[in-house]
Structures are given as structure tokens and as C-alpha cells.
Amino acid sequence: MTENGRLAEFEARIRRGEKIEPGDWMPEDYRRQLIRMISQHAHSEIMGMLPEGTWIARAPNLRRKMVLLAKVQDEAGHGQYLYHAAETLGATREEMIEALLSGKAKYSQVFNYPSLSWADMGVIGWFVDGAAILNQTMLARCSYGPYSRAMVRISAEESFHMKQGKEQVILLSQGTAAQVAMVQDAVNRWWWPSMMMFGPHDQESPNSPVLIKWAIKTRTNDELRQDFVNQIAPEVMELGLTLPDPDLHIEKATGNWIHGPIDWDEFWRVVRGDGPCNAERMAARRKAHDDGLWVRQALEAYARREAGVAAA
Amino acid sequence: MTSGDTQWPRYQVFHQEGPHRPHVNSGTVHAADPEMALQNARDVFVRRPDCVSLWVARAADIQSLTAEELESAGVPEPTDGSLGTYQVFLKKSQVGSHEHAGSVQATSAAGALAAATDEFEKEDVLVWWVVPEALMVRTEPDEIDSLFHPAAGKLYRHPAFYHTVTLMRRLREAEGENK
């Protein structure tokens, strides 16, 4: 079959709603875009452990500590599901880890902000995981089978992340004056970084058209962001809290909550490595990688011994 | 330290959610041997109280046949070999994963695929997998407690543990009474 014929057949499969599986023919650009997206997503899960990890030892009680520990452990597991999904496309773990550690690969900008108080653990769960779930629910319908299946699993597990966070925000918002002030401060700091998680506006998102044509993504950045505002804004207000957006208002005709302008200069600054915690996060990641060297060496020694035993 | 591509073989993992449920494909892990594969599979895929058994098989030991291949090339020709048991897994929907369907006796993987397409419902099946029984590794009954019991008490890993809907409703009711 000619290259064009194959492409036409591939696109017909996508239109029929079929899943593309690892051994199937796919355009090189489909493979490249998926590896880029899935590995970035995996890196985000791994880097996403850092802002919360720092609060595990300072959790206010045993219940909250177990919950936070479980959430951070899930994120490590989600990173694994995703690295495996990328490997089905021919990417190797070493290439991907190397790209992360060298700073070549990107991860979600939101993890380059500091977590300053315990209330951040509530707000991160509600806003950051809430935003991630919207994105992942969309990706669960992705045309690439292994990515879609990883997303189904991850979305199901992350609804616990979101709900444990929201529960804390609700309780803190009904607590003492100091607790209310603490949670309002956390909301103020995490709102815009969470809104930016969906990425640039549609007209400025160069990859979007091809990603949508091949059903890697099935909805646009702005559509998902609109769902996010509609979900969160009214409930934050019901709690007596405010969002740091003076332009936020409900549009009568559509029922949509319309937000004010997003500071894209800040977004690109953080993406390019100059956010409040980029250097700290990368240093923590590299240290964890170096500290884990003995584990990798022990595993390799075990593998060599097993191979030797098998050969003998 | 990077020493080139040191990736170990990829293993397909199958988990079982309850005693009378089929084993379902959960994804893959890399490992040096099946024992490490089972351990990694436990750590990666079983953090919640809904697993009673895990199976692993090297991805390279799984023979697959797609509905498309069956249509275009027909049933695979069995080759000679010694008779053995093959486990059969079927993928029946675009969004679903492979599920264990049963086993067949055959003298080769091709023969096992031919037998599988014959013995199991052909309709709805998108992909057949067969794995030689001798190459499947399973969690042993005496390991089950130590592998899966620790997850059993962790109900806080489920979203239903958090009563956010009730909390919001109570808040709205209290608001209503104050008005």
C-alpha cells in the first residue's frame, strides 16, 4: 500500500473510533506527538510528587498523613503507567529520564510553584488534580489504546486525590479565622497557575489541530479551561472564599463563568525554566536520581546473576 | 551513570479483581525475571483493595492475532511440536483490555491461535493472545496475603471515603436556614 493509502486508512480507522495499538501502522508524526505528550505527562506525575512530598512529615494528624502519602505514592505509580505507555511507541526509559534530568523535556508548569502552608495540600488536590482529571478524562478517549487505558486507570484513582483536597478546603473554609485566612491565601496563589495548566489559548496552541485531527486530544485547551472555571468558581464562592480575578462573572446567555486575562508572560517564563521553584525542583529530582543509583546497581547485579544462572 | 540501553524484558501483567472474575491485562512492567516482574506489578498496579491474584508473561512470549489478520490471511497454520497448554486472552472492545477466556491444547503457538479462534466466540473479538502455560508465572496462594493484604485496609484510597457532596449540601442547607 502507498504511504498516502496507509495514511487514508489510518485516518479512516480514527474516524470509526477504533483504537490504534502498538504494532499498528501509524504516521511518524502521530508517534512523535504521542511520545512527546505521554513522556511530558509522565514527567509531570513524577515532578508533581515534590510540592506535596515536602508536607508529608508535617501533616497535622495521622489520617491526613496516610492520605497524603497514598496520594504521592499514586503519582509515582501514574508516572510508571505513563512511561510504559510511551515505551510501547519505541521510546526507552533511559532516553526519557535523561531528557527530564537534562532539562530538555518539559513537565507541567504548575509544579514550579511553592507549597507554603498546609492549606496548599487541600487546594492542590481540588484545583490541580481537578484540572488534571478534566484533561485526563478527555485523554481517556484518545485514539492510542495504551495511553487511553492508562488514562482510564489514572482518572479513576485521581478522583480520590481531588476529593481529599476538596474536603480539606471545605473544612478549613468553615474553621477558625486563621484557618479561613490560610485557605484563602492558598486559593489566591494556586488559582492562576491551575488555570494555566490547560495550556495556551486555542489560537496560540500550534500542536492542537493535528492532535485533534488524530483524536489524540478530543477537546481544546480553552474548552477544558471553561469546564474547570464552571466547576470550581461557584463552589469556591459558596464556601465564602473568593478567587483572585476581578473580571470573573457569569455570562447569562451561556451560563459560563468568564474569567479575566491570563498572564501568559508568567506562563512562558515558568515553562522556560524561570519560575519560583524550577531550579529547586530539578535539583531535588536529580538528587533523588543520584541517591537511587545503588538501587539500580543492585538490580543490575541481580539481573546479571540471574542471567548467569540461566546460562549455566 | 548510563550504560546504554539496559532495559529488561517487558512483561504483560494480568490482575484478578475477585475470586470468580477473569484475569484482565493491566499493562506492562520491565523486570530481570518473573519474580521481579510480579513484585513490580504489585507495586505499580495494586495499590487498592481490589486484587486477589496476578499473572505475568514476557511480552515476547505472547503470540497475537488480530481480527484484521484473520480476515486477510485466514487461520494460522499449526506447526509441529510437543502438545502443550496455552492460555487464551481476548480483547473484545476498542476501549477494553485483554481478558482471560480459557485455555487450549496445541503443538505450537500458531496452532493455539487456530484452536482459540475455533473454540471461542469469534464475533466481537478484535485481538487474540495465546501464552504457553509453561511460561506464565502466577502469584502463589501462600504469597497472596503478604502481596495483597496491605492494600485491603486502605479504604481512604477510594473517592467514596470523602463526603464532599454531603458537606456541600449541609453547608447549603445551613445557608438556607440563615436566610
Side-chain angles (χ1 to χ4, degrees), chain B residues 9-75:
Chain B
R10 231 154 50 86
Y11 284 80
Q12 288 289 355
V13 179
F14 303 89
H15 72 278
Q16 187 185 28
E17 289 193 346
H20 303 295
R21 308 277 297 274
H23 281 72
V24 178
N25 185 216
S26 3
T28 58
V29 293
H30 289 282
D33 66 6
E35 190 187 342
M36 195 194 282
L38 278 176
Q39 193 64 47
N40 288 350
R42 198 288 298 258
D43 294 347
V44 172
F45 296 113
V46 191
R47 291 186 302 277
R48 282 169 176 68
D50 50 10
C51 184
V52 295
S53 157
L54 283 174
W55 296 351
V56 294
R58 269 189 1 171
D61 293 328
I62 298 177
Q63 287 291 319
S64 99
L65 175 73
T66 66
E68 261 175 49
E69 288 165 341
L70 184 68
E71 205 181 274
S72 61
V75 178

Side-chain angles (χ1 to χ4, degrees), chain A residues 19 73 87 94 238 302, chain B residues 4 30 33 94 157 172:
Chain A
K19 296 287 180 214
Q73 192 191 31
E87 283 165 2
E94 273 158 345
E238 277 186 274
Y302 172 81
Chain B
H30 289 282
D33 66 6
Q94 290 291 343
R157 284 183 179 277
R172 283 172 198 136

Side-chain angles (χ1 to χ4, degrees), chain A residues 19 63 67 70 73-74 81 84 87 93-94 149 157 159-160 163 174 235 238-239 299 302-303 306, chain B residues 4-8 28-30 32-33 36 44 47-48 94 97 156-157 159 161-162 164 171-172:
Chain A
K19 296 287 180 214
R63 176 184 187 266
V67 168
Q73 192 191 31
D74 272 350
Y81 302 163
H84 279 293
E87 283 165 2
R93 184 72 60 106
E94 273 158 345
R149 290 191 288 274
E157 298 189 352
S159 69
F160 130 59
K163 288 186 78 178
Q174 308 307 306
E235 292 205 308
E238 277 186 274
L239 296 178
L299 289 169
Y302 172 81
E306 289 298 288
Chain B
D5 184 7
T6 57
Q7 294 200 112
W8 293 321
T28 58
V29 293
H30 289 282
D33 66 6
M36 195 194 282
V44 172
R47 291 186 302 277
R48 282 169 176 68
Q94 290 291 343
S97 303
Y156 54 85
R157 284 183 179 277
F161 190 76
Y162 306 91
T164 51
L171 215 68
R172 283 172 198 136

Side-chain angles (χ1 to χ4, degrees), chain B residues 124-141:
Chain B
D124 307 336
V125 178
L126 298 171
V127 189
W128 285 262
W129 277 358
V130 295
V131 193
E133 168 61 28
L135 298 177
M136 276 306 307
V137 180
R138 301 179 162 87
T139 48
E140 299 289 339

Side-chain angles (χ1 to χ4, degrees), chain A residues 23-43:
Chain A
D24 299 350
W25 186 88
M26 60 186 80
E28 206 35 51
D29 200 35
Y30 179 82
R31 183 190 303 276
R32 202 178 51 81
Q33 293 278 5
L34 275 169
I35 291 177
R36 180 186 64 84
M37 265 180 73
I38 302 174
S39 61
Q40 273 183 20
H41 197 161
H43 300 328

